[in-house]
């Protein structure tokens, strides 16, 4: 009996790795990785690896019933200031590709900056969010299915309203 339990655990682990690798093999994910590598090379700093990020992505996908998935995070500590914003933008845009559109750029008076790039891919909307905070850079990539996410949010609102009305 113990052998079967161990075999099932290994089979589930392999299945999760296959799902993760298939999910990570799409074009948006590869372009995100290329952008991270290019920024790492240009600014001579390595990103911090987030352990078990695939599990976070899998949990987000399950919790939202497919509304959010394909999450990736790259964190750069000691990134340093970006002196040439045009060069930085060119690196990001060239690595993401022409199908990505810069949709939000917010600059704060203290030097912090946030950028959001989006791309439509069938029923999915892909996002890359870049946050420059003095000497740190954080980049997040995710895919959202707007219909599925809206359904999930509506279910949560209905549950919250029901819970409030029964108290």
């Amino acid at each position: 009996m113990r052998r079967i339990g161990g075999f099932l655990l290994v089979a589930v682990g392999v299945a999760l790795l296959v799902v993760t690798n298939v999910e990570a093999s799409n074009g948006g994910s590869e372009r995100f990785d290329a952008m991270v590598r290019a920024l790492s090379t240009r600014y001579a700093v390595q990103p911090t690896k987030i352990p078990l990020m695939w599990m976070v992505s899998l949990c987000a996908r399950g919790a939202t019933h497919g509304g959010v998935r394909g999450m990736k995070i790259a964190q750069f500590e000691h990134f340093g200031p970006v002196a040439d914003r045009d060069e930085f933008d060119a690196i990001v845009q060239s690595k993401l590709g022409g199908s990505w559109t810069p949709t939000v750029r917010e600059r704060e008076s203290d030097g912090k900056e946030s950028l959001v790039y989006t791309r439509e891919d069938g029923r999915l909307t892909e996002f890359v969010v870049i946050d420059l905070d003095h000497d740190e850079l954080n980049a997040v990539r995710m895919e959202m299915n707007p219909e599925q996410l809206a359904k999930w949010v509506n279910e949560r609102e209905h549950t919250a309203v029901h819970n409030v009305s029964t108290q």
Side-chain angles (χ1 to χ4, degrees), residues 46-155:
Q46 292 297 313
T48 303
K49 299 283 185 187
I50 309 297
L52 301 175
M53 189 61 214
W54 63 271
M55 187 178 288
V56 172
S57 181
L58 190 62
C59 288
R61 187 177 193 163
T64 62
H65 306 289
V68 175
R69 62 184 183 192
M71 293 177 64
K72 288 187 134 188
I73 297 176
Q75 290 183 313
F76 291 92
E77 295 178 5
H78 311 295
F79 191 78
V82 175
D84 188 346
R85 298 282 190 203
D86 291 335
E87 178 191 29
F88 180 86
D89 291 345
I91 291 170
V92 171
Q93 191 68 58
S94 72
K95 294 304 176 184
L96 289 180
S99 61
W100 287 84
T101 305
T103 53
V104 175
R105 175 178 226 116
E106 179 186 12
R107 288 186 180 149
E108 297 180 18
S109 59
D110 64 356
K112 294 179 185 176
E113 187 170 1
S114 297
L115 309 158
V116 178
Y117 291 81
T118 59
R119 175 176 95 134
E120 297 297 321
D121 185 18
R123 293 186 328 217
L124 299 176
T125 301
E126 295 180 78
F127 292 88
V128 170
V129 180
I130 300 170
D131 183 49
L132 292 159
D133 186 357
H134 302 292
D135 72 335
E136 291 185 8
L137 180 139
N138 297 302
V140 178
R141 179 211 176 265
M142 70 179 147
E143 299 170 5
M144 290 175 47
N145 179 328
E147 293 171 7
Q148 191 64 33
L149 190 59
K151 182 178 174 183
W152 179 77
V153 168
N154 288 335
E155 288 172 0

Side-chain angles (χ1 to χ4, degrees), residues 155-167:
E155 288 172 0
R156 300 297 164 259
E157 286 176 356
H158 176 70
T159 302
V161 168
H162 177 73
N163 288 341
V164 169
S165 65
T166 60
Q167 291 180 356

